[in-house]
Amino acid sequence: MTINLTTPNDPTSLAAAQNLQKQLQDTLPGLTVKVVSYQSDNTANVGLSGHYQLLLTGWGGRLS
């Protein structure tokens, strides 16, 4: 079985997604997790539309 993990394409999100991908594939034999990344704005739109299988998002305040 293959599932898509959608994530923003910033370095932190990609690292988290790759870690989650490895953990899921190691724990669930036969599962393939494909990481699909978009720019943050596009990832938010995907989340709002509901067109995803797994979605990794986050929010962080900006220090000014």
Side-chain angles (χ1 to χ4, degrees):
M1 173 181 220
T2 300
I3 57 174
N4 292 331
L5 171 58
T6 302
T7 186
N9 65 355
D10 63 89
T12 302
S13 296
L14 285 172
Q18 291 166 348
N19 185 292
L20 184 57
Q21 175 189 44
K22 181 177 180 348
Q23 288 183 52
L24 287 169
Q25 291 179 158
D26 288 351
T27 304
L28 301 168
L31 178 66
T32 300
V33 178
K34 179 181 174 190
V35 175
V36 179
S37 63
Y38 296 99
Q39 290 182 349
S40 292
D41 292 345
N42 291 337
T43 304
N45 291 335
V46 169
L48 291 172
S49 72
H51 291 96
Y52 58 89
Q53 293 175 315
L54 291 174
L55 180 64
L56 178 65
T57 64
W59 178 85
R62 293 193 178 175
L63 299 175
S64 40

